[in-house]
Amino acid sequence: MSQDRTLNNAELLSVLDWYRAAGVDLAIGEEPVDRFAQQPPAPTGMPQRAAPPPPSPVPQATGPVGGDPGEARRLAGTAASLDELQKTLNDYTGCGLKFRATQLVFADGNPKARIMLIGEAPGAEEDRQGKPFVGRSGQLLDRMLAAIGLDRSLVYIANTVPWRPPGNRAPTPEELELCLPFLHRQVELVAPRLVMTLGGPAMQTVFNSTNGIIKMRGKWENVAIGSHEVDAIPTLHPAYLLRNPVAKQQAWRDLLSLRAKAESLGLV
Ligand code: URA
């Protein structure tokens, strides 16, 4: 028997729960596509190269679209402490990423640390645990920190966006714009002496640059993050290092540079 009525919110949520329990965490289209039912093109005289499949739609967040960056700046600016900022972000509904994520991934580490690490966006494990860098790349990040005598009690870790983008896609420029005032405020409140960005997108956001990470990594720059001026160095993302182990030697140089700078400032 078919059911034509529209599902209410509680029913929709239980459908989502059911999908999640079944291991589905990525929707790539509004309608299911039966690929077996699709007819191959009729052969013509000459052998033809198969037409490329239509691009799969990039999963988008559901929820409000066209959030107001001015409102995000106003809200972020009202937070007088990290706890308040976390609460403000928890209540914030302007960025659609929130509606597809399990929870806010605000930060990890020591809020009093003088060194701050900024990554791109939470992945699946971070989304589950509500903490940045707790998946495979986080384990490598811990080993990288340990190699220069640091650990999470000596650094503070956040991301450019605090919700997992669906299917681990990159955050859109609109999503970044809506989340940036909150990152700025987070940096202002932590007021680190040194910042290390992890990966190209975080570098581009923090350094306001369109350059690639390979060109930028390893170079210190004094940058303004919100109203906080700080020396920052970009390095390669641990997820990239997992895929390209030979690049670890470059990341190692950047880590040594971070350690040397921290020592010269008496931070470690
Ligand atoms: N990659 C990131 O950039 N951030 C995380 O928190 C996890 C993986």
Side-chain angles (χ1 to χ4, degrees), residues 9-122:
N9 282 351
E11 289 166 331
L12 284 170
L13 282 174
S14 56
V15 172
L16 274 179
D17 280 345
W18 184 83
Y19 277 128
R20 199 194 294 262
V24 177
D25 69 351
L26 171 63
I28 57 169
E30 289 293 322
E31 300 292 335
V33 179
D34 182 355
R35 307 253 176 232
F36 293 107
Q38 286 173 344
Q39 296 296 318
T44 56
M46 292 286 288
Q48 303 248 318
R49 189 180 289 178
S56 317
V58 175
Q60 297 296 324
T62 54
V65 284
D68 175 6
E71 191 210 8
R73 277 193 290 278
R74 186 186 62 72
L75 286 171
T78 60
S81 67
L82 287 169
D83 283 348
E84 272 183 42
L85 185 67
Q86 183 165 3
K87 182 166 183 327
T88 305
L89 260 174
N90 243 329
D91 297 342
Y92 178 59
T93 54
C95 176
L97 283 178
K98 175 190 181 123
F99 297 90
R100 288 283 296 277
T102 308
Q103 57 185 319
L104 178 73
V105 178
F106 184 66
D108 196 22
N110 181 354
K112 294 198 166 52
R114 314 316 323 274
I115 300 172
M116 179 163 175
L117 307 180
I118 303 178
E120 182 186 4

Side-chain angles (χ1 to χ4, degrees), residues 201-256:
M203 177 279 291
Q204 291 181 334
T205 302
V206 168
F207 287 72
N208 195 18
S209 167
T210 52
N211 286 331
I213 182 66
I214 299 300
K215 175 165 179 197
M216 295 288 283
R217 60 143 283 277
K219 298 187 188 112
W220 287 99
E221 245 181 61
N222 190 261
V223 291
I225 309 180
S227 65
H228 183 67
E229 277 194 25
V230 61
D231 287 338
I233 184 171
T235 193
L236 304 169
H237 196 286
Y240 174 81
L241 298 175
L242 286 171
R243 293 192 303 272
N244 301 278
V246 290
K248 283 183 184 168
Q249 53 182 296
Q250 293 171 303
W252 176 234
R253 278 202 286 274
D254 306 341
L255 288 166
L256 288 178

Side-chain angles (χ1 to χ4, degrees), residues 115-136:
I115 300 172
M116 179 163 175
L117 307 180
I118 303 178
E120 182 186 4
E125 196 51 38
E126 288 76 20
D127 181 59
R128 254 190 292 278
Q129 294 192 32
K131 278 189 190 170
F133 284 101
V134 288
R136 274 190 75 220

